[in-house]
Amino acid sequence: MNTAVVLMAYGSPNRIEDVPAYYADIRGGRPIKPEHLADLVARYQRLGIEESNPLNEITEATRSALEAELGLPVFTGMRHWNPRIAEAVQQALAGGADTIVGLVLAPHYSSLSIEKYRAQLEDALDGRAELRFVERWGDEPGFVALLAERLVVQKHKHVVFTAHSLPARIVAEGDPYHDELLATARLVAEAAELEDWSFSFQSESPTGEPWLGPDILDHLDELAANGVEDVVVCPVGFVADHLEIRWDLDVEAAEKAQELGLRFDRIVLPNADPAFVHVLAGLVRRAAAVPSAG
Ligand code: FEC
């Protein structure tokens, strides 16, 4: 058996000029309002995307550390930017892989998230190698322990677990995303022995339909009204510092907390921390050892 790993991430534009094409990819051909594009460009500009691109850099650091730990070739495939998932598959096949482990750097399954990565991977693979796909890993003990460790010193504060929101219609469609997020939050809260915690969504997109809530900004209002003074955010649906963390939490939510007189902090994300890479390596080893059903 000749195994390679395709490590998948959301992807991020490297330059400001890339933002329109990147946004168009995310929208999948649906129209973009000029004011929404201008707003996105402004966010990337404020974060200094030209000087450094956290998501793509952290993904590369994770890829190379995972490759070193596994002793297997690991190729990065981005869902919305370069290198694309199809390029990663091409590289893996060119290197002689007959078995590919697909792992997404997002822990919770949704038809609008993990399933989209899988579709790109399967299309590119087109049956040319065996696929062993890791569908979800939000309850992986090493991941739970890693987040819990980051909260132990903050355990007397109110902890808000967060994840990317998705259109609310997924609940009626039976999508397990919301339940899986809450399960991770509960496991981490238990492991860190938290006294007071809640869950909210973040990073809703202006797509014109209702999204899952409460949104973190409304949730902060509610917490302040209930007398909470100290908030620490623990994102469970993201594993790296990127726009949704550095803008939506570090700028937007932090400003809102300041207006409300709340002390506001967040945990350091797993990024390419060796302990996190070790968790990913365990997921790959297990998937490589066990052929997936179907
Ligand atoms: O740092 C960066 O440059 C990229 C950060 C980034 C991550 C990310 C993760 C997730 N998203 C998920 C779902 C959606 C859905 C839509 C959507 C839209 C955007 C836009 C940007 C963006 N997302 Fe994202 N997401 C990131 C960035 N996302 C930029 C477009 C502008 C905006 O809304 O602000 C709506 C698509 C549509 O319009 O139809 C749905 C989910 C995740 C977490 C899982 C994962 O990482 O794959 C779910 C990182």
Side-chain angles (χ1 to χ4, degrees):
M1 191 168 110
N2 196 347
T3 305
V5 181
V6 173
L7 182 68
M8 289 168 280
Y10 202 81
S12 177
N14 293 311
R15 297 167 309 152
I16 289 296
E17 303 91 272
D18 298 333
V19 176
Y22 171 71
Y23 199 175
D25 194 281
I26 292 175
R27 294 287 296 160
R30 279 164 302 129
I32 298 174
K33 290 195 177 142
E35 63 271 29
H36 291 158
L37 176 60
D39 177 59
L40 186 60
V41 167
R43 276 183 274 156
Y44 280 115
Q45 244 153 4
R46 286 250 327 245
L47 291 180
I49 202 77
E50 307 275 14
E51 289 85 52
S52 80
N53 181 304
L55 183 56
N56 295 346
E57 283 163 14
I58 294 162
T59 305
E60 171 51 24
T62 309
R63 185 208 65 76
S64 90
L66 185 60
E67 187 167 75
E69 170 148 358
L70 288 168
L72 291 175
V74 179
F75 303 98
T76 296
M78 305 286 197
R79 183 173 154 200
H80 292 299
W81 203 241
N82 305 315
R84 308 297 308 213
I85 290 171
E87 289 172 61
V89 167
Q90 229 20 72
Q91 283 179 294
L93 294 176
D98 56 23
T99 305
I100 288 184
V101 176
L103 176 64
V104 183
L105 285 169
H108 307 93
Y109 178 88
S110 166
S111 57
L112 295 182
S113 165
I114 301 298
E115 203 50 44
K116 304 281 185 191
Y117 288 91
R118 183 189 349 229
Q120 285 195 22
L121 183 56
E122 282 182 347
D123 280 357
L125 204 50
D126 199 19
R128 289 178 291 166
E130 186 183 334
L131 175 60
R132 298 190 182 173
F133 188 80
V134 182
E135 207 165 61
R136 51 173 59 73
W137 49 272
D139 59 355
E140 185 65 15
F143 175 58
V144 169
L146 191 134
L147 296 182
E149 266 165 40
R150 286 165 197 218
L151 284 171
V152 165
V153 287
Q154 316 245 40
K155 70 190 228 184
H156 302 299
K157 301 178 181 172
H158 180 95
V159 174
V160 181
F161 294 101
T162 65
H164 203 294
S165 184
L166 281 175
R169 63 183 147 82
I170 65 164
V171 174
E173 290 162 4
D175 193 290
Y177 184 64
H178 197 173
D179 290 342
E180 290 190 16
L181 293 168
L182 288 177
T184 301
R186 273 189 212 104
L187 287 169
V188 175
E190 223 172 87
E193 298 179 354
L194 300 186
E195 290 158 8
D196 190 23
W197 64 274
S198 54
F199 180 87
S200 78
F201 286 97
Q202 58 164 94
S203 313
E204 183 176 314
S205 255
T207 58
E209 63 180 326
W211 283 53
L212 295 170
D215 183 81
I216 177 103
L217 300 181
D218 301 327
H219 189 52
L220 289 175
D221 274 329
E222 213 177 300
L223 292 175
N226 289 338
V228 170
E229 291 176 351
D230 244 319
V231 169
V232 56
V233 175
C234 174
V236 291
F238 300 114
V239 297
D241 295 326
H242 45 57
L243 186 74
E244 316 296 71
I245 300 294
R246 293 173 66 231
W247 183 267
D248 298 358
L249 292 182
D250 294 355
V251 177
E252 266 186 0
E255 278 174 7
K256 173 82 187 218
Q258 198 178 14
E259 277 167 31
L260 293 166
L262 290 168
R263 281 184 290 277
F264 183 86
D265 198 1
R266 69 157 166 94
I267 64 155
V268 173
L269 272 89
N271 292 323
D273 185 320
F276 179 56
V277 172
H278 188 66
V279 172
L280 298 176
L283 292 167
V284 171
R285 285 196 192 99
R286 281 210 312 271
V290 185
S292 54

Short mmCIF file of all heavy atoms in Angstrom, two decimals, residues 13-22 50 81:
data_model
loop_
_atom_site.label_atom_id
_atom_site.label_comp_id
_atom_site.label_asym_id
_atom_site.label_seq_id
_atom_site.Cartn_x
_atom_site.Cartn_y
_atom_site.Cartn_z
N PRO A 13 -7.12 34.24 0.19
CA PRO A 13 -6.41 34.94 -0.89
C PRO A 13 -5.03 35.41 -0.43
O PRO A 13 -4.88 35.85 0.70
CB PRO A 13 -7.32 36.15 -1.17
CG PRO A 13 -8.09 36.35 0.09
CD PRO A 13 -8.27 35.00 0.71
N ASN A 14 -4.04 35.30 -1.33
CA ASN A 14 -2.70 35.74 -0.93
C ASN A 14 -2.50 37.24 -1.10
O ASN A 14 -1.67 37.83 -0.45
CB ASN A 14 -1.64 35.01 -1.77
CG ASN A 14 -1.62 33.53 -1.44
OD1 ASN A 14 -1.57 33.17 -0.27
ND2 ASN A 14 -1.70 32.68 -2.45
N ARG A 15 -3.26 37.83 -2.04
CA ARG A 15 -3.10 39.26 -2.31
C ARG A 15 -4.47 39.91 -2.40
O ARG A 15 -5.46 39.23 -2.70
CB ARG A 15 -2.35 39.46 -3.64
CG ARG A 15 -0.94 38.91 -3.64
CD ARG A 15 -0.39 38.85 -5.04
NE ARG A 15 -1.36 38.16 -5.90
CZ ARG A 15 -1.49 38.36 -7.21
NH1 ARG A 15 -0.73 39.23 -7.82
NH2 ARG A 15 -2.38 37.69 -7.91
N ILE A 16 -4.51 41.23 -2.21
CA ILE A 16 -5.79 41.94 -2.28
C ILE A 16 -6.45 41.72 -3.65
O ILE A 16 -7.66 41.55 -3.74
CB ILE A 16 -5.59 43.45 -1.98
CG1 ILE A 16 -5.26 43.64 -0.49
CG2 ILE A 16 -6.82 44.26 -2.35
CD1 ILE A 16 -6.37 43.23 0.48
N GLU A 17 -5.62 41.72 -4.71
CA GLU A 17 -6.21 41.53 -6.07
C GLU A 17 -6.91 40.18 -6.20
O GLU A 17 -7.71 39.99 -7.10
CB GLU A 17 -5.13 41.58 -7.18
CG GLU A 17 -4.30 42.82 -7.23
CD GLU A 17 -3.06 42.67 -6.38
OE1 GLU A 17 -3.16 42.99 -5.17
OE2 GLU A 17 -2.02 42.25 -6.88
N ASP A 18 -6.57 39.21 -5.33
CA ASP A 18 -7.20 37.89 -5.42
C ASP A 18 -8.60 37.86 -4.80
O ASP A 18 -9.34 36.89 -5.01
CB ASP A 18 -6.37 36.84 -4.64
CG ASP A 18 -4.97 36.67 -5.19
OD1 ASP A 18 -4.76 36.92 -6.38
OD2 ASP A 18 -4.07 36.26 -4.40
N VAL A 19 -8.93 38.89 -4.00
CA VAL A 19 -10.16 38.80 -3.20
C VAL A 19 -11.42 38.62 -4.06
O VAL A 19 -12.25 37.75 -3.76
CB VAL A 19 -10.29 39.98 -2.20
CG1 VAL A 19 -11.62 39.93 -1.45
CG2 VAL A 19 -9.12 39.96 -1.21
N PRO A 20 -11.59 39.37 -5.18
CA PRO A 20 -12.82 39.16 -5.97
C PRO A 20 -12.95 37.72 -6.48
O PRO A 20 -14.03 37.14 -6.40
CB PRO A 20 -12.67 40.16 -7.14
CG PRO A 20 -11.76 41.23 -6.60
CD PRO A 20 -10.80 40.53 -5.68
N ALA A 21 -11.85 37.14 -6.97
CA ALA A 21 -11.92 35.76 -7.50
C ALA A 21 -12.18 34.77 -6.36
O ALA A 21 -12.92 33.79 -6.52
CB ALA A 21 -10.63 35.42 -8.23
N TYR A 22 -11.57 35.03 -5.22
CA TYR A 22 -11.76 34.16 -4.05
C TYR A 22 -13.23 34.21 -3.60
O TYR A 22 -13.86 33.18 -3.37
CB TYR A 22 -10.82 34.65 -2.95
CG TYR A 22 -11.00 34.03 -1.59
CD1 TYR A 22 -10.65 32.69 -1.36
CD2 TYR A 22 -11.50 34.77 -0.52
CE1 TYR A 22 -10.81 32.13 -0.09
CE2 TYR A 22 -11.65 34.22 0.74
CZ TYR A 22 -11.31 32.90 0.95
OH TYR A 22 -11.45 32.34 2.19
N GLU A 50 -1.43 41.42 2.56
CA GLU A 50 -0.31 41.43 1.61
C GLU A 50 1.00 41.03 2.30
O GLU A 50 1.87 40.44 1.68
CB GLU A 50 -0.11 42.83 1.00
CG GLU A 50 -1.35 43.43 0.38
CD GLU A 50 -1.57 42.98 -1.07
OE1 GLU A 50 -0.93 42.03 -1.51
OE2 GLU A 50 -2.41 43.61 -1.74
N TRP A 81 -9.18 28.15 -2.63
CA TRP A 81 -8.04 28.88 -3.21
C TRP A 81 -6.94 27.89 -3.59
O TRP A 81 -7.15 26.68 -3.55
CB TRP A 81 -7.54 29.99 -2.25
CG TRP A 81 -6.80 31.04 -3.00
CD1 TRP A 81 -5.49 31.42 -2.84
CD2 TRP A 81 -7.31 31.86 -4.07
NE1 TRP A 81 -5.17 32.40 -3.73
CE2 TRP A 81 -6.26 32.69 -4.51
CE3 TRP A 81 -8.55 31.95 -4.74
CZ2 TRP A 81 -6.40 33.60 -5.56
CZ3 TRP A 81 -8.70 32.85 -5.78
CH2 TRP A 81 -7.63 33.66 -6.17
#
